Amino acid sequence: MIRVKLPHHLRTLARVGSEVQVQVDGPVTQRAVLDALEAQYPMLAGTIRERGTGQRRSLVRFFACQQDLSHESPD
């Protein structure tokens, strides 16, 4: 299980608390986590990534083990 902390506006949209858990099968990448998150919470589709291109929106940040991974490859 992967824990994901969401900002307030996305929590409100998804109607969840500050943290959700998603199951990622296979290698854990940013893309895999976002795929799992959007599958579990379809109302978030298009809010974190552009619908057409799949590109992460610039204001969304990724942190793991207290490191900012926002500029790393999504794969």
Side-chain angles (χ1 to χ4, degrees), residues 28-34 54 56 62 69 71-75:
V28 178
T29 64
Q30 290 180 26
R31 187 179 315 277
V33 170
L34 289 179
R56 174 185 56 87
F62 288 90
L69 303 175
H71 299 291
E72 300 292 325
S73 168
D75 295 314

Side-chain angles (χ1 to χ4, degrees), residues 4-63:
V4 178
K5 289 192 175 188
L6 296 171
H8 180 74
H9 65 287
L10 295 180
R11 281 184 250 160
T12 301
L13 184 62
R15 297 183 180 155
V16 296
S18 64
E19 183 177 289
V20 297
Q21 293 185 0
V22 294
Q23 179 67 39
V24 175
D25 298 323
V28 178
T29 64
Q30 290 180 26
R31 187 179 315 277
V33 170
L34 289 179
D35 289 344
L37 186 64
E38 289 176 348
Q40 190 168 335
Y41 301 98
M43 68 286 290
L44 295 179
T47 62
I48 299 171
R49 298 186 281 191
E50 296 288 336
R51 286 186 190 266
T53 64
Q55 295 272 332
R56 174 185 56 87
R57 294 187 184 269
S58 60
L59 296 176
V60 175
R61 309 293 294 193
F62 288 90
F63 291 91

